[in-house]
Amino acid sequence: MKVLANDGISKSGIKALEKGGFEVITTKVAQEQVANYINANDVSVLLVRSATKVRKDIIDACPGLKIIGRGGVGMDNIDVAYARSKGLHVINTPASSSESVAELVFAHLFTGVRFLHDANRNMPLEGDSNFEGLKKAYANGIELRGKTLGIIGFGRIGQAVAKMALGLGMKVIAADKFVDKAEVRVDFYNGQFINVEFETEPLEEVFKHADFITLHVPAQEGYVIGKEELAMMKDGVGIVNCARGGVIDEVALVEALDSEKVLFAGLDVFEKEPTPEIQILMHPKISLTPHIGAATLEAQDRIGTELAEQIISLLQSEKV
């Protein structure tokens, strides 16, 4: 059987699939040509990440397709219910990238509280001529230790963020529509660990009491953070979004940054991805990354291997 990994797959994933008897194709096929390519090459399994969209048109046009796999968590680029109604298996890897996303959250938090995003823009331009001026401009950093981190969405990634926050000595509060309480295990390098129990709070309480807020929610209708929600927050709050574009009202965010209601923002995802607004890209108080939350070598190895294991298990059990 043939597997088309249209958005790429790790070497470990390829190796595992080939060991299971699959032919893996890593050719990048343009979105409008995906269905034709699948049919012309007798592809049984289509693997995607966030770039390729698997909508009703592809599902209807490819009767030989048996499995659609998403490397990562969110499956908003796949018509999941429709695919399953047509008898296809739709799989993903919800646990594989949690730690990678959580580390990027803290990369943005550290960047924001120490102005690294702006310093890295200005040091090459003025570091030799205005060193003392830049030193003064970036001298009012703040520490994360002892501050309150509000986590909106307390699933696997939200809990991974909580572990790191606890290790830094932060207080953690969380809101989630579907999780009332959770026990988070924090592991240390020497085999020791602690378990910390959390009870989630109403969203409004997180907005009111958090010094920093990070979002870990799926794509949805409407904003999670808009003008009203920003007004509830503490003055000087920091906001990070490594979840999905469109959950923050970017116009309201820029206004809040300009008025100094919000100290900084860290964005890995954007409303108009892959062409973010220039006002976002050029803003001196926004730390920016191009949707790379899960893009670590370790996470991609885990994603590839986990997808391979699921595919082999499904096909060998003759459920397909």
Side-chain angles (χ1 to χ4, degrees):
M1 283 188 175
K2 294 180 182 178
V3 176
L4 173 61
N6 205 45
D7 297 335
I9 186 172
S10 67
K11 289 180 180 178
S12 61
I14 294 173
K15 188 175 180 180
L17 284 166
E18 289 178 343
K19 188 176 180 182
F22 293 88
E23 178 185 340
V24 183
I25 304 167
T26 56
T27 303
K28 174 62 179 174
V29 182
Q31 178 71 48
E32 61 273 14
Q33 293 298 321
V34 170
N36 290 338
Y37 191 92
I38 287 172
N39 293 329
N41 292 275
D42 194 25
V43 170
S44 301
V45 181
L46 173 61
L47 301 182
V48 302
R49 287 174 62 189
S50 58
T52 303
K53 310 292 187 288
V54 190
R55 302 299 181 199
K56 183 176 181 291
D57 59 336
I58 290 178
I59 295 165
D60 286 340
C62 301
L65 200 58
K66 296 179 175 9
I67 298 174
I68 302 168
R70 162 71 160 93
V73 184
M75 295 200 288
D76 42 288
N77 57 322
I78 301 171
D79 287 342
V80 177
Y82 186 77
R84 287 175 175 160
S85 77
K86 293 293 183 179
L88 278 75
H89 288 270
V90 185
I91 58 176
N92 67 339
T93 58
S96 55
S97 58
S98 300
E99 304 296 329
S100 296
V101 177
E103 288 194 9
L104 185 62
V105 169
F106 277 92
H108 279 295
L109 285 170
F110 279 118
T111 293
V113 295
R114 299 308 295 268
F115 316 109
L116 301 185
H117 53 298
D118 206 44
N120 280 325
R121 290 166 172 163
N122 289 323
M123 279 295 286
L125 300 174
E126 302 178 35
D128 59 344
S129 60
N130 187 30
F131 191 91
E132 292 301 325
L134 294 178
K135 182 177 180 180
K136 184 176 180 181
Y138 304 131
N140 296 317
I142 55 178
E143 296 179 1
L144 295 179
R145 181 172 297 275
K147 305 300 191 303
T148 299
L149 179 64
I151 302 175
I152 300 174
F154 208 53
R156 290 182 179 89
I157 297 175
Q159 291 178 33
V161 171
K163 294 177 190 179
M164 295 181 190
L166 292 169
L168 280 169
M170 301 185 79
K171 177 183 177 182
V172 174
I173 57 177
D176 193 296
K177 291 180 181 178
F178 308 105
V179 178
D180 293 325
K181 55 180 65 178
E183 184 174 87
V184 173
R185 172 169 164 150
V186 184
D187 291 285
F188 300 98
Y189 74 96
N190 59 359
Q192 296 186 56
F193 66 91
I194 59 169
N195 289 318
V196 181
E197 292 189 358
F198 290 95
E199 290 190 10
T200 56
E201 304 180 14
L203 200 53
E204 293 77 11
E205 293 301 304
V206 173
F207 289 144
K208 289 177 184 176
H209 297 124
D211 298 303
F212 306 99
I213 292 173
T214 177
L215 291 123
H216 301 287
V217 296
Q220 53 198 272
E221 291 294 321
Y223 297 119
V224 177
I225 294 178
K227 188 171 286 190
E228 290 184 13
E229 291 75 20
L230 287 162
M232 294 182 202
M233 297 177 191
K234 288 183 175 183
D235 291 342
V237 67
I239 300 173
V240 175
N241 183 15
C242 291
R244 281 290 180 266
V247 296
I248 296 179
D249 181 345
E250 291 180 356
V251 173
L253 177 63
V254 168
E255 290 176 357
L257 287 163
D258 290 343
S259 70
E260 300 185 353
K261 172 72 179 183
V262 175
L263 178 65
F264 71 88
L267 301 179
D268 186 50
V269 291
F270 306 88
E271 278 195 77
K272 294 189 176 178
E273 202 169 309
T275 54
E277 295 286 0
I278 195 69
Q279 293 93 333
I280 294 291
L281 297 178
M282 297 300 292
H283 203 286
K285 294 182 180 178
I286 301 179
S287 171
L288 302 158
T289 48
H291 202 152
I292 56 168
T296 62
L297 297 176
E298 294 87 349
Q300 293 311 306
D301 275 346
R302 290 191 296 267
I303 286 169
T305 303
E306 189 177 333
L307 282 172
E309 289 171 352
Q310 290 186 64
I311 292 163
I312 292 165
S313 176
L314 280 170
L315 296 177
Q316 285 184 347
S317 64
E318 297 182 351
K319 291 181 180 179
V320 177

